[in-house]
Structure formats: structure tokens, C-alpha cells
Amino acid sequence: MCGIVGYIGYSKADNVIISSLKRLEYRGYDSWGVAISEGGRLNVYKQVGAIGEVESYELGDSTIGIGHTRWATHGKPSEVNAHPHLDCNKRIAIVHNGIIENFLPLKERLIKEGHRFVSETDTEVIAHLIEKNYKGDLEKAVVAALPELKGSYAIVAISSKERKLVACRYKSPLILGVGDGEYFIASDVPAVLEYTNRVVYLEDGDVVTITDSGYEIKNNGVEVSRKVELVSWSIEDAEKGGYEHFMLKEIHETPRVIEDTLLGYVSETIDLDVSFAAGTSEIIFVACGTSYHAALVGKYVIEEMSGIPVRVEYASEFNYHPAPLSRSLVVGITQSGETADTLEALRKAKRAGARVLAITNVLGSSVTRIADYVIYTRAGPEIGVAATKTFIAQLVVIYLMAAKLSMLTRSEVEKLVLELKLLPERVRRILDKEDKIREIGEFLADYENMMYIGRGLGYPVALEGALKMKEISYIHAEGYPAGELKHGPFALLGKETPVVACVIRDNTYDITLNNIKEVKARDSPVIAIADEKDEEVEKYVDFVVRTPEVDRIFTPVTYSVALQLLAYYTAKKRGCEIDKPRHLAKSVTVE
Ligand code: F6R
């Protein structure tokens, strides 16, 4: 997803901007560009592909500029479509994240008025609209252009004539970094962490004008003050810390992430406040991708423990279902807090009068402004595009929610808390034995198709395992309820299609073993994920990934860590770009 950077201060702007853009690479991009304002003109550099390793770029000595990493939506990745985009007279340059939905009629009108367009992007209309309104004051021109735009945007504008940056946001993330005598504007905090840990989270409708002497934020034309937050992440948090890939580092952070998330909400007992759920008739989870799989685990666990009916919807499909009732609790799970589909689903829920809770990993993210209540996972920044530690943190929050919503007795809750507190050690034991998982991952690297199966709690685990495998190794992997295979997918089985079976020792156990036998009878190699006390399963499968024994409801945690490692080592053996898989973005801010 696109990344934005702006800088004004005393350092060479091109170097600051490029190093900040590199910190946003995790969002995914296909082209990039920088514009600096120097000597009454704009110097622009754009390129397709990665920024690369060059440490210093020579656009000029200017100390003000903007930059962008583009993830193509309107128009293919190309130099001309890369941002920054300029007006006809090359006096104004802008970078943009989001989508301008009405760009076509705007473009047609502007062309009739004499504007010349060069790109296929929706973004270019913004530069021309600002140009049209520019009478020597960039802020006024931006403010005059905004009412014409329909859609979502985070924009930073610069002009050749004034030493200032003007930035604004609506439904796309944007933060202001406040340094000593220098200011940064960016899509996300890692971009500025090298320079400052003082950050303002801008809100929808904010327009910020930044000069050397400070910044002023207006919303609806009225000056507003926004809190400067101190970000506790260190720059090291956002770097690899000796691991070959962010993904592996982040999987290894899981024990600490569980501890940190528990620390926030558990003492002797569970302190999480769930009063937001009082009197709720149903819980509806809305989420995408991995977060959707966390929600599915939530359905099993919350229904089982509390008896409250739970619905789980893909956020992108939520619009096409009946609106929630006013007594519903709608829970958006989104690690980034910026996923456009999830935000839109939650807005719909609010319009219907439902209570809205967000579970997110990012302080101040857009979802926190929409939701009535927020629960934070405490996973720290996740840079690898594939969600790993944040998924586990989501599960931990879901367990806590389920326990608090349940009818459990005090001693049952204490037992559960004890089990939760043991989880970090259980996960450490999986990480200590990752060599075995690596061997199996390397075995899988030669295949092109796979199936993942599970029953009950094992089903969302299978879905998530398959998603991890396909997104980073590019092996076609499908997750199925184990009982569904015989209703069609059996036709795909055979020795060229390995099957990963998530085997949980609960009421699904015997029947899952039967399903494994059916698969083996069709010659597929079978890899079972099972706990170390399971002495039966190895008789029927080719490999077993052993995980420490935990209470059955926590198997999604241990099994998922094992499946994340399995996908990682398969992808590594295949030589894939693990942290930045092709075509994917970390933060999907378009619907
Ligand atoms: C997969 C992955 C994605 C995200 C999805 C939702 O590894 O990371 O499927 O889970 O894009 O993202 P969030 O949780 O930020 O809403």
C-alpha cells in the first residue's frame, strides 16, 4: 500500500525522505519518487521497482521535500504513474495515498478547462485542482480543492514558491513527526522513528500546514490542537535484530507478545473491561485475511464459553448482508487499524446503531476513531507483510474476552489465567525445535499444491496455515473443514498434493483421524500438526509436527506458530521474497 513522507527542516531532504521511505517498504510498493523544492523550482525523481541500497541521492541541497512509494491501483507501475504528481506549470507537487473515486469526471472537466494530464492515475487530478485554486497560498489552494474530492486520501503538497508543506487526511492514515527544528509527515510511525519519537496522529478532516517555525492544524477551517504522543517503539523494534527476515524475527517475538498482551489485561484475574457487551444479543466479527481467521477462532471460543451467538463476516462482504441490530456488538479485528474494508464495515455498523469495538495493534490508527471501544493487542510493530505475532496477540485478546463474557466460576477463570500464562513457555518450546519444522518445510518446497484440513478449532487454524503458505511460498494451498474434502476437493488428492492435518485431541479427534486415513488412501503425503501427548496419529501420517500440550482451546496458538514456521521454511527453500511477497501490501487502505 502506498507510503507517504514529507520533510521540512535543516537536513538534506532527499536523503531523509529516501531513508524514511525505506522504513515504509513493508507496506508493499512497485514504484517510488521524491520531489524537493529548490531555488524556485521543483526537482523530481521517480523510478519503477525498489529503492535499493544507495544511501545518498543527489536531487539537490534543499531541506524541504516529499516522497512516495506507490502500490498501483489506477494505471500500471511506471515512472509516469509514480508519485509525486505535478500541475501543468510544475509549481506544485503532491503525493497521495487512497483513492479518488470521482477522478474521471474531475479529469474530464479539468481537461476541458485546459489542464494537461500525463498519467493514468486518479491522483493527478489533485495536483491540477490545487493548481486551479493556487493564488500564492498553498494552504488555501489545498483547502479549496478538497471539497471536490470523493473517496479517501492522505495528501502532502509542496510548491516551488513557498517554504511549507500542506498535508491533509480523510480515511487514509497520516501522522506528523515533531523533531527539534524539523518536521516529518508520514503514513506510519516507522518512517519517522529514526528522527523523532514525538508523533501527532492526524484525524479525518485535518489539514496541517508546516513551516520551519512550527505547524498549525485546522479542521473545518478551525484551528485544533492534537496531542503529541511519545512512541515507545525503538528503531530496533522496527528492524530485523539479527534474523534473516522480519517474519522469522516476529515469529520469535511471540512469547514476549503473549506476555505483553497479558500484562495489559491480566493480574491475578482478568481485568479486561467488557461492559461494552452488556445486554448484547449477538456478536458480529468483521475482519479480513488473517484477522478474519482470528475472528473464526473467536466464534468457536466465545460461543462455547459464553453461549452468546457469534457471526463472523468478511468485512468486504458485510455490506451485502442485513445490517446489524442495535443490540448487536460489532467487533472489528484489524492489526493495522487501517484496513479500508474493515473500517467501512464498522461505519455501517455504527450507522445501524450497533455498538462497535475495535481490536487493533496500532495506537491512534483510523479504527480507533471509529470504534466506541478499543482493545489493543500489544505486539509491537509488525514489518513482515504476513501477519504472525499480531495474529497470536489477537487470539490472546479473544480468549480474554471470551472468559470475561462467560459464566465461568472464579476458580475456572483462575485456571484459564494460569494456562494463558504458561503459553509463552509453550511457544518457546516450539521455537527451540524449529529445525524439525524446517526439514518438513523444505520437503514441501517441491510441491505446487497443498491442502490444509481441520475440524472445530482446527478449521480456522487450517485456513490460516494455508493462507500463510500461499502468500509467502506461492504454493497453491487451500484450507478446508476436514469433513468437506470428500464433497469435491478429493478429486485433487494424490501423491503430488500434500495435506496438512490439524489434529486436536478433543471431540473432533477420532473423526479427524478417519479423514486422514481417507486422504492417505488417495496417496497424498500427510503432515499432522499434533500435540506431544498424541501417540496415535503418527501411525497414519508421513510427518508429525509436535507441539507442547496445552488446554484444547489454546491449540490455535501453538499450532499456528508451528504452521507459520512451516510456511516460512518452505518459502525460504523456494527462495521467495518472504517479507514482501509479490502483489501484497501490509496495510490495505483501499476497498
Ligand atoms: C496475511 C495478512 C492479511 C491481513 C489482512 C487484514 O498474512 O497479513 O491477510 O491479515 O490484510 O489486515 P489487518 O489485520 O491489518 O486489518
Side-chain angles (χ1 to χ4, degrees), residues 459-497:
Y459 167 51
V461 174
L463 291 181
E464 175 59 10
L467 178 62
K468 283 296 90 94
M469 183 60 86
K470 77 182 97 175
E471 71 182 320
I472 63 164
S473 76
Y474 313 147
I475 294 176
H476 172 230
E478 293 299 331
Y480 273 96
E484 272 295 303
L485 277 195
K486 58 176 93 58
H487 300 289
F490 256 22
L492 300 173
L493 296 183
K495 57 182 182 332
E496 65 295 335
T497 309

Side-chain angles (χ1 to χ4, degrees), residues 138-159:
L138 186 61
E139 180 187 329
K140 282 192 179 143
V142 170
V143 169
L146 293 182
E148 303 245 31
L149 304 178
K150 287 204 175 73
S152 59
Y153 52 77
I155 299 168
V156 190
I158 187 175
S159 100

